[in-house]
Each structure stands twice: as C-alpha cells, then as structure tokens.
Amino acid sequence: MAFRRRSKSYPFFSQEFLIQNHADIVFSWVILILIGLMFETTAKTAILFIQPQYNISTMSADGEVTLYHYGWKDCATVLFYLCITIILHAVVQEYVLDKVNRRLHLSKSKNTKFNESGQLCVFYLVSSLWSLYVITTEGYILHPSSLWENYPHVHLRFHVKFFYLTQLAYWFHTLPELYFQKVRKEEIPRQLQYVSLYLLHILAAYLLNLTRVGLVLLFLQYLSEMGFHLSRLFYFIDENHHKMFEMWSIGFVLTRMITLTLMFLAVGFGLARSENQMLDLETGNFNTLSIRLLVLFMVCFTQSWLLWKFFRFQLSRTREMRLEQVARKRAAAKHQMQRTLKRDSGTYCKNNFFPKFVKSWH
C-alpha cells in the first residue's frame, strides 16, 4: 500500500526514507495490532489499543446500558487512533489535495496553506457533524440545563468517549506531521500555538468531567474554523471570492460571544449553585471555586486573545487597503497629469510649427 509516488529511493532508516514512507510504516504497525486480535494470547493487548476501556454496565429505563469513564489505559487507545489519523491524513493528501494542486498551479507558499486548509476542512466537517449528532441525541439542545446538572459527569456513553479520544488523537497527530510535512521553521510556532490550545481545552474538559460543555464549545469552534478554511480554499481557487471572509468575520465574533456566555452560564452560574462543591478525586468532582475560576480564566483569556488577534488583523488590513487606495489615486492623478502635459505640448508644437518653418525658410 503506497501513499506517495516514489520519484527517488533513499537509504533505509534515513530521514528522507522515514518522511517519504511514514504512512506505510504506520499502516504496517496498525495491521500488526489488528492481526493480534486473531490470537488468544495477544487479543487482550490488541483490544487495549482498539476499544475504549473502563466500561461499566448499569440498568436504566431502556434496559442495560454500557457507560465509560477515563483512565490511563486511554493513552493506548489514543495512540492507536493517532496512527489511524496519520494514515487518513496521507490518503486525503495523496488522493484529493495533491490532485487539486496540480490543476491550480499554486505557488509554494499558497500550496502549503491550501494543504493546511484542506486537511482542517475535512476534520472540522466530520467533527462538527459528529458533535452535532451527539448533542442532538443527548438532548443538550432541548435541555441546556443538563450541561451542568448532575455534575460530575463521570460516566459517558460510547460515542461521547470515543469522540473525545479521537479528538485527542487528531491534535496529537499534528505534532509529528510538522516533521513529516517539512513545515517551515517560521510556521512551526504558529501551528504549535493553536494545537497546544486545542489540546489544553480538550484535556481540561475530559479530565475535569466537563465533557458536556466542552462538546458544545467544540461544535461552535469547529463550525467557525470550518468557515474560515472554506473561505480560504475558495479564495485560492478564485481570488475574487472575498464575501465568504466577510460572512466568516461575523460568525467568528458571534462564536466568541456565544462561547463566553455559555461558559459563564454553565460554570460561573450553574456549577456555582450546585450543593456539592468539595474536591473529591474518587468521585471525579472538581467543582470548587478555585477550579471554576481557573477554567473561566482559561476560556476567557483564549477567547479574548482570539478577538484581539482578529481585530488587530482587521485594523491592519483596513490600513493597508487605505494606503493602497491613496497610492492608486496618486498614480491615477500622476498619469492624468502626464497625459494632460503631453496633450498640451502636442498642441503647442502644432500651433508653432508653421511660423518657425517660415522664419527659418527666409
């Protein structure tokens, strides 16, 4: 199974060989784990990587229900699906984005941004639809108070826990991809910045048992980011598409406002009214004043920082557009003046040519 066209062969275990064949190497490791399911001696270890752990069965009105909580064994599951994500990343790059790039003939810098937006668009689309499905099936839209009621939300349904594990796997996979994709050094700090923010917020929601609020916030964030990267993809295809960026700008600000409102409503108001406000690691209760303030500060700081970057970019862009307009007006005025002078000089030569000719003749 080859994900990349081999234009040149490299020595085994060299850096270029690892970069060129990383998807095939990871695919072989995944196949090895799947083969382990076929044998009784290795099946238990293989299941540790493939299936979410820490499940318990409880009785409900609908019958027996299997719920999950988190533990250190989740690291193995995240590692396995991190490898799956690397393979899917290579498939999307090879069979979708590279084919489009050959038709567009983009520059090297635009090609890098196009690949980044293309990969993120696929992820944001799948994750937003998945999170919307979970939010709808869990009834968070019809009953917003369920976001903070009955806290701590230790026991999760399968699709909720699996969603969080795959989110962690995706954002952790972006770290080795910086090496595999040969990202430029000046681009690495920017990408590490937003990857670290995603990992910090997802881990906080997962470990502090704030999965319900985190699910809604991730849906809003992914929807907003998908709008931006779709706008950028359409801009690379046709540079006349600017209206989508204007629509995204409105959605970006609204997303920040809704996120802050929801966090103050759920954490600052809902959890603050809860009777159980004692730190208890055994039951998974982190509803204390200090932790609530820390969570609110983290989210508010991130949203404020995003808004500050957004408004600073918009102001700098407006300033650049004004300078361009002034430069265009000056160039147009200079061109008009040159045309006027040329026309006047031509008229003067025509009016004074015959007398000078007669004078010179005599």
Side-chain angles (χ1 to χ4, degrees):
M1 183 176 182
F3 292 103
R4 297 276 182 185
R5 292 179 176 86
R6 271 60 171 171
S7 58
K8 184 179 179 181
S9 59
Y10 296 97
F12 284 101
F13 306 112
S14 65
Q15 180 179 353
E16 292 297 332
F17 177 83
L18 179 62
I19 292 174
Q20 190 183 59
N21 300 277
H22 72 275
D24 295 330
I25 296 171
V26 171
F27 182 76
S28 302
W29 187 77
V30 170
I31 292 297
L32 187 64
I33 292 178
L34 293 177
I35 292 175
L37 292 172
M38 303 171 61
F39 303 97
E40 186 177 356
T41 55
T42 57
K44 292 183 179 180
T45 305
I47 289 176
L48 186 66
F49 288 92
I50 300 171
Q51 182 179 340
Q53 303 299 308
Y54 304 104
N55 58 315
I56 58 172
S57 299
T58 58
M59 297 301 297
S60 64
D62 299 329
E64 187 176 358
V65 179
T66 302
L67 301 176
Y68 296 82
H69 59 92
Y70 66 80
W72 66 270
K73 292 181 181 179
D74 291 339
C75 297
T77 311
V78 170
L79 178 62
F80 177 78
Y81 288 100
L82 182 150
C83 296
I84 296 293
T85 309
I86 291 177
I87 297 171
L88 294 177
H89 186 113
V91 170
V92 172
Q93 184 67 43
E94 176 69 21
Y95 296 104
V96 181
L97 298 178
D98 286 349
K99 291 183 178 180
V100 177
N101 282 329
R102 294 189 195 101
R103 296 183 178 181
L104 295 178
H105 304 289
L106 299 174
S107 62
K108 189 174 181 180
S109 59
K110 287 185 177 181
N111 187 18
T112 303
K113 293 179 180 179
F114 183 87
N115 290 334
E116 180 187 1
S117 292
Q119 293 285 351
L120 288 173
C121 268
V122 174
F123 169 71
Y124 288 142
L125 177 62
V126 173
S127 297
S128 58
L129 291 175
W130 190 357
S131 57
L132 179 61
Y133 168 77
V134 175
I135 291 170
T136 306
T137 54
E138 293 293 320
Y140 299 154
I141 297 177
L142 299 178
H143 305 284
S145 59
S146 61
L147 296 176
W148 60 83
E149 288 181 348
N150 301 321
Y151 180 85
H153 308 135
V154 178
H155 299 115
L156 310 173
R157 294 183 182 272
F158 174 81
H159 51 254
V160 178
K161 177 166 182 174
F162 192 61
F163 174 81
Y164 272 94
L165 294 180
T166 52
Q167 295 301 305
L168 291 172
Y170 179 85
W171 290 113
F172 274 119
H173 114 280
T174 56
L175 300 177
E177 284 294 341
L178 296 176
Y179 172 73
F180 295 143
Q181 300 298 324
K182 295 183 179 180
V183 178
R184 295 182 299 175
K185 290 183 179 180
E186 56 269 21
E187 286 290 324
I188 291 178
R190 179 187 64 84
Q191 296 198 22
L192 284 177
Q193 203 173 55
Y194 76 79
V195 169
S196 301
L197 286 174
Y198 272 115
L199 287 174
L200 176 64
H201 287 73
I202 294 173
L203 281 171
Y206 187 63
L207 298 177
L208 298 179
N209 296 316
L210 295 170
T211 50
R212 298 182 182 182
V213 181
L215 196 64
V216 178
L217 296 184
L218 281 176
F219 168 72
L220 295 172
Q221 176 66 18
Y222 288 163
L223 204 62
S224 174
E225 289 297 302
M226 184 176 64
F228 170 74
H229 289 285
L230 276 176
S231 303
R232 194 158 74 162
L233 286 177
F234 280 109
Y235 175 76
F236 288 141
I237 295 173
D238 186 0
E239 294 187 356
N240 295 321
H241 285 90
H242 294 283
K243 292 185 178 180
M244 291 190 67
F245 281 110
E246 297 175 0
M247 296 173 60
W248 166 78
S249 300
I250 299 172
F252 179 85
V253 177
L254 287 176
T255 302
R256 307 283 81 78
M257 297 297 103
I258 295 173
T259 299
L260 290 172
T261 303
L262 185 61
M263 279 302 298
F264 277 103
L265 181 64
V267 178
F269 177 75
L271 293 181
R273 298 181 61 185
S274 177
E275 297 180 357
N276 188 8
Q277 296 192 20
M278 296 292 294
L279 180 63
D280 191 351
L281 298 179
E282 292 184 0
T283 61
N285 185 21
F286 298 94
N287 186 16
T288 62
L289 178 61
S290 58
I291 294 179
R292 288 200 308 271
L293 290 176
L294 181 62
V295 170
L296 284 173
F297 173 77
M298 181 179 67
V299 175
C300 291
F301 176 79
T302 303
Q303 300 304 312
S304 302
W305 178 70
L306 290 173
L307 282 172
W308 175 72
K309 285 189 63 178
F310 173 78
F311 287 124
R312 189 181 67 171
F313 172 77
Q314 294 296 331
L315 289 173
S316 63
R317 185 183 176 190
T318 304
R319 193 180 301 112
E320 289 176 359
M321 291 178 64
R322 287 180 180 176
L323 292 175
E324 288 179 1
Q325 290 177 357
V326 171
R328 288 176 184 175
K329 288 181 180 179
R330 288 179 179 176
K334 185 178 180 180
H335 181 67
Q336 184 67 26
M337 185 180 296
Q338 290 176 351
R339 290 182 60 186
T340 304
L341 291 174
K342 188 176 181 181
R343 186 176 64 250
D344 293 343
S345 62
T347 305
Y348 177 78
C349 290
K350 288 180 180 179
N351 294 336
N352 292 276
F353 176 76
F354 184 76
K356 288 181 179 179
F357 176 78
V358 173
K359 187 176 180 180
S360 63
W361 176 263
H362 291 288

